[in-house]
Amino acid sequence: MGQRQSAEAWVAETERQRICEEERLSLPPAVTAGLLKVLTGHASADERADVTRRVHEYRGRSNRRVEWLLGILDPATALNAVLLQRATEKSAAAKYASEAGFNRFQWILAVAGKGTDASLGNFQLYAAACGAWLATSRILGVLAERDQEISRGVQINPLQETQRRTWAVDVQFRWVSELFCRSMASEIESDPEKYCGLELVTQRAVTDLFKWVEAYVDTMDRPADEKPNEQLPMPSTSARPLVDSLSVRSDEYRFGSFEVLVETLDIESFPFVTLDGHVAPVALREATYGVELALLSLARRRLGNDKVRSDLFENAVKRSLSQVIPSGMDIPFKPVFIPIPNSKNKGETDFLVRSSSQHTFVGECKAMSAVQSPSTVIHSFTDHVSKAAKQLKLRMEAIKAGTAVEVDGEIWDAPATNVYGLAVPLHSYGGAVWSHECLPHGDADSQDLAVIPIHHLLAVARAMEDGQDLGEYIRFRKVLFDLSIELRDELDILAAYIFSDGLTIASMIESAPEHGLRVIRAYGVELEVLLSDTMPTSARAWRRRLAKTLI
């Protein structure tokens, strides 16, 4: 038995040393030189194809390294912040993975690790292999975007959806996630019989969950010498049932492959992991400002009726929006109907926002989750968003034609001008909602109609001064899309709207590359800000906070 263990240890050490050698080599010089030619536009088509093939091969090698290391590493090492910090000190690839976002790779280690090894050396190799995989994936994405023969919007959408899952691409905020989760809890508490099965989703549980995550991260971030033998915080008795329902066991995916786990959406449904009886927010990004995705996934599992699930999302949208729209605007909570002329269509409407400035916003919600395969996300966008857009256009035209709007059985004479549509999906469909090339596929390229995911819509609404401001923002979005500007996040648009004047935008367009693309990027939102921020008290307060973090 001892000889067998010795042989296995020798094989493991030999494999570890081989990976160490390969990690130091990084990309071969010939591939690096070819890549530079491609990126500077001096490579032939054959050279581009050869570089792409060789980068694919290197990513495959990184994938095999990760698989081997998952087989020997203890999943509990995913919770060791000190180990992660030390692992990034001597490896450029590991440091790259940490700076780019080790979030998903920590979760994968926690749910798919099969071994007992907790050494710094092998953890460093794991972090480095993940960094190499991430870097080569990023390179492949850049190569695809550089290909002038493909549509940047539609055909590279699968790559952008993959990036959304592995990188912190969407800028999101803790206060937005907590607001929407509390709104869901409020809706559930208002009718527990209707939402039977979700009794554990209470406002107290939601509040305690967010407080626990913040306390957990605060403890993990402190230097080791400041927390000798300190117990990690545990969820309160109110929050524990909810946290458990959003958790997976550490061995849940022990037979799952890295290639599948690196793209799975299960991390959004189960951001918490239970190891040795202790639960932890391993997927910190999802456990901090994407909890609404986990709660809605829970609702899909526990509510058997499609209509009830839709009602939950729609009513949570109304509840949360009512808390961020400016004074002078209101959202009726009762049923709204906008009859469609010359038809029997009663025009049932998901929500309506009325403004004292005589601006009307018709809303249509789409609560469908993203599909597992990134390659089919754009097809879901075309299907879901086009349906919402068509419904909105019918109702907008009806109001403009003078149709009387029915709110809770009473007639409201809506103004026939300044009518806007808001299509509100749950997610961005790989950034398709911000792509000037994808929007026409969703029939959503009208100047008075905007497609804004709920998380981002709440952040936008809090920054608006009144209904006129929101209307102008919707039209401003269309102007940017018409200029063929490449946008990756709603904060790109909001930052430009709030902080840039017309001359600045015009100058930016003139300095854009020949292919007419330019990214307005909202940099500077640090994790600490996202963890600790609270809901701003007014539009001005929110704009001041954005000015500090985005500029």
Side-chain angles (χ1 to χ4, degrees), residues 318 331-339 346-354 362 395 399 405-409 412:
K318 288 188 282 190
I331 301 178
F333 281 85
K334 299 297 183 178
V336 174
F337 295 90
I338 305 174
K346 295 181 179 179
E348 185 175 3
T349 301
D350 289 348
F351 71 90
L352 184 76
V353 183
R354 301 180 291 192
V362 183
R395 286 153 180 75
I399 293 177
V405 178
E406 182 182 318
V407 179
D408 192 24
W412 174 61

Side-chain angles (χ1 to χ4, degrees), residues 291-311:
V291 184
E292 67 271 23
L293 299 177
L295 287 188
L296 286 165
S297 177
L298 177 66
R300 282 189 287 273
R301 295 194 301 273
R302 296 200 173 187
L303 299 177
N305 188 298
D306 289 343
K307 178 66 167 60
V308 173
R309 291 196 296 266
S310 295
D311 287 349

Side-chain angles (χ1 to χ4, degrees), residues 49 108 118 205 269 336 407 528:
I108 290 174
S269 301
V336 174
V407 179
E528 288 76 12

Side-chain angles (χ1 to χ4, degrees), residues 173-184 292 313 316-326 331 351 422 424-425 452-464 470 473 490-491 494 535-536 538-539 542 546:
F173 300 92
R174 169 207 162 143
W175 72 263
V176 174
S177 183
E178 185 171 3
L179 169 62
F180 193 77
C181 290
R182 284 180 59 86
S183 297
M184 286 182 63
E292 67 271 23
F313 181 67
V317 167
K318 288 188 282 190
R319 288 177 181 273
S320 55
L321 272 176
S322 69
Q323 297 184 60
V324 294
I325 56 177
I331 301 178
F351 71 90
L422 286 169
V424 186
I452 308 178
I454 180 57
H455 190 108
H456 303 84
L457 178 59
L458 293 172
V460 167
R462 179 74 289 189
M464 298 295 109
L470 180 56
Y473 176 78
E490 194 67 31
L491 265 292
L494 183 60
M535 190 174 101
S538 66
W542 183 221
L546 289 173

Side-chain angles (χ1 to χ4, degrees), residues 5-78:
Q5 287 179 333
S6 177
E8 290 177 347
W10 179 84
V11 171
E13 178 59 21
T14 302
E15 180 70 3
R16 193 188 76 81
Q17 291 178 1
R18 184 186 67 77
I19 293 176
C20 283
E21 292 297 322
E22 290 185 350
E23 196 273 325
R24 280 197 289 270
L25 288 174
S26 191
L27 280 174
V31 178
T32 303
L35 181 62
L36 288 174
K37 286 184 68 176
V38 172
L39 297 180
T40 55
H42 297 106
S44 66
D46 288 342
E47 288 174 321
R48 287 203 308 271
D50 181 63
V51 167
T52 301
R53 177 185 59 78
R54 297 179 74 173
V55 175
H56 267 294
E57 290 177 353
Y58 192 77
R59 186 174 70 166
R61 186 194 309 171
S62 301
N63 176 71
R64 291 190 292 275
R65 294 179 191 175
V66 174
E67 291 280 10
W68 182 79
L69 289 160
L70 284 174
I72 65 172
L73 281 171
D74 186 338
T77 55

Side-chain angles (χ1 to χ4, degrees), residues 331-520:
I331 301 178
F333 281 85
K334 299 297 183 178
V336 174
F337 295 90
I338 305 174
I340 308 304
N342 305 316
S343 76
K344 296 181 179 180
N345 188 343
K346 295 181 179 179
E348 185 175 3
T349 301
D350 289 348
F351 71 90
L352 184 76
V353 183
R354 301 180 291 192
S355 169
S356 58
S357 61
Q358 302 297 298
H359 290 70
T360 304
F361 303 88
V362 183
E364 183 67 27
C365 301
K366 292 298 177 186
M368 280 74 79
S369 62
V371 291
Q372 286 287 353
S373 172
S375 64
T376 59
V377 167
I378 188 63
H379 303 303
S380 298
F381 170 81
T382 301
D383 180 31
H384 302 162
V385 173
S386 63
K387 288 179 181 177
K390 289 174 182 177
Q391 290 172 325
L392 285 171
K393 289 176 181 178
L394 284 174
R395 286 153 180 75
M396 292 163 64
E397 290 301 322
I399 293 177
K400 293 175 182 178
T403 296
V405 178
E406 182 182 318
V407 179
D408 192 24
E410 297 183 358
I411 299 301
W412 174 61
D413 292 326
T417 57
N418 296 319
V419 182
Y420 299 88
L422 286 169
V424 186
L426 179 58
H427 54 94
S428 70
Y429 294 91
V433 299
W434 302 304
S435 168
H436 63 90
E437 291 190 348
C438 292
L439 285 171
H441 290 264
D443 199 23
D445 53 344
S446 304
Q447 68 170 353
D448 295 332
L449 192 154
V451 185
I452 308 178
I454 180 57
H455 190 108
H456 303 84
L457 178 59
L458 293 172
V460 167
R462 179 74 289 189
M464 298 295 109
E465 300 282 0
D466 52 31
Q468 180 177 343
D469 201 13
L470 180 56
E472 290 176 354
Y473 176 78
I474 290 174
R475 292 198 170 192
F476 176 81
R477 294 174 90 257
K478 183 62 167 68
V479 170
L480 292 186
F481 293 139
D482 286 347
L483 292 171
S484 298
I485 297 178
E486 184 179 2
L487 301 158
R488 295 294 176 86
D489 188 273
E490 194 67 31
L491 265 292
D492 295 350
I493 305 172
L494 183 60
Y497 178 75
I498 295 175
F499 305 120
S500 299
D501 56 31
L503 291 177
T504 303
I505 294 292
S507 174
M508 181 190 67
I509 300 304
E510 288 181 10
S511 63
E514 290 183 2
H515 46 67
L517 300 168
R518 184 78 170 184
V519 177
I520 306 170

